[in-house]
Amino acid sequence: MGQAFYVTGTGTDIGKTFFSSLFMAKYARSFKFRYWKPVQTGSSNAGDTEFIRKTTDLPDSFFLKPVYEFVTPASPHYASKQEGVVLDPKHLLNVLTKERKTNTLIEGAGGVFVPLTENYLTIRGIGESNLPVIVIGSTELGTINHTLLTLDALTSRFIPVLGFYLVGQNNPLQADNAETIQRLGGAPCLGITNFPEQKLSPEEFLVFANNHFDTNRNVIDTILNPEDEF
């Protein structure tokens, strides 16, 4: 029996896909994890699934296709309306439920309050899916406020939060940011990884992930053993 988990962020382009790439590069083969972005917007060139496929050089069997995919680079509620597609939250939830007991990283679209439809927010879908969540925040200035707001929104709705992970440019504030969020947010910091200084080949990215991501195994051990405490 496996364990699917949901990756959300404190905002758009905060680093969810970078985190997902690192996770898949390091753990997909050894633990048979698959990557899945059920709702993809802005896919006129290449979506996040294709980006991670190219970054990690993993075969197609490690990826699930989006349930809904839109060309428009906007919130799903707007993109679906622009393209004349009905996004059905019940259908999406049914598909998510079928994958709950498989080793799957599920990446959300944007932050927790992104509307999937005119009156259905992402956070409602996360809660109804009953999936555990990892919150991705930035290493930089402002992350304390944004990450605490996201954690509060999730925990106040009794959504299980496995912890938070910070990604971004190397920043002198990042250690204090992580400690402060952990102390005030009621969720453990699972780690910090800075962006590489240059573009990496898939082989180089694998080495980077092995050396710089989840160095204490907090992420993988928490996902596979969610009842355990640090």
Side-chain angles (χ1 to χ4, degrees):
M1 185 176 293
Q3 175 63 67
F5 69 102
Y6 193 95
V7 174
T8 191
T10 60
T12 302
D13 293 331
I14 206 68
K16 298 189 309 298
T17 304
F18 177 61
F19 171 92
S20 299
S21 298
L22 292 167
F23 183 93
M24 293 297 293
K26 188 163 186 172
Y27 294 129
R29 292 184 185 277
S30 54
F31 292 100
K32 295 181 171 54
F33 267 92
R34 298 173 302 167
Y35 170 85
W36 188 23
K37 188 156 190 176
V39 180
Q40 171 70 59
T41 64
S43 58
S44 56
N45 295 318
D48 293 331
T49 303
E50 184 60 25
F51 174 83
I52 293 178
R53 194 196 319 267
K54 289 181 178 179
T55 301
T56 62
D57 202 26
L58 288 165
D60 290 350
S61 59
F62 286 91
F63 299 90
L64 294 173
K65 293 181 179 180
V67 181
Y68 295 101
E69 192 166 10
F70 304 104
V71 173
T72 307
S75 171
H77 86 286
Y78 182 86
S80 60
K81 184 166 56 177
Q82 290 295 111
E83 298 177 30
V85 175
V86 176
L87 194 161
D88 183 356
K90 290 184 178 179
H91 172 64
L92 185 60
L93 186 62
N94 286 337
V95 179
L96 283 169
T97 300
K98 292 177 182 178
E99 301 297 338
R100 268 198 96 245
K101 298 302 182 182
T102 63
N103 280 352
T104 307
L105 184 162
I106 301 171
E107 182 183 344
V112 296
F113 284 109
V114 166
L116 295 176
T117 70
E118 293 289 345
N119 55 10
Y120 190 96
L121 297 173
T122 294
I123 197 166
R124 178 178 170 185
I126 297 173
E128 291 179 347
S129 72
N130 199 32
L131 289 168
V133 178
I134 292 179
V135 174
I136 308 305
S138 170
T139 56
E140 301 186 50
L141 183 66
T143 193
I144 293 175
N145 177 69
H146 299 155
T147 309
L148 287 177
L149 283 171
T150 301
L151 290 172
D152 183 69
L154 292 164
T155 56
S156 66
R157 290 166 173 78
F158 304 103
I159 294 172
V161 176
L162 298 176
F164 67 94
Y165 202 101
L166 300 186
V167 300
Q169 299 294 341
N170 194 335
N171 190 297
L173 299 172
Q174 63 188 26
D176 183 74
N177 286 340
E179 187 279 327
T180 302
I181 295 167
Q182 180 169 265
R183 176 167 49 84
L184 300 176
C189 178
L190 300 177
I192 302 173
T193 299
N194 297 125
F195 294 148
E197 296 180 357
Q198 60 189 24
K199 188 174 181 180
L200 305 176
S201 68
E203 294 79 12
E204 291 169 332
F205 190 81
L206 177 59
V207 173
F208 178 87
N210 284 328
N211 290 337
H212 298 281
F213 174 71
D214 196 27
T215 53
N216 294 322
R217 290 184 54 95
N218 289 341
V219 173
I220 192 64
D221 287 346
T222 300
I223 292 165
L224 297 180
N225 305 288
E227 296 85 10
D228 292 351
E229 296 181 354
F230 293 106

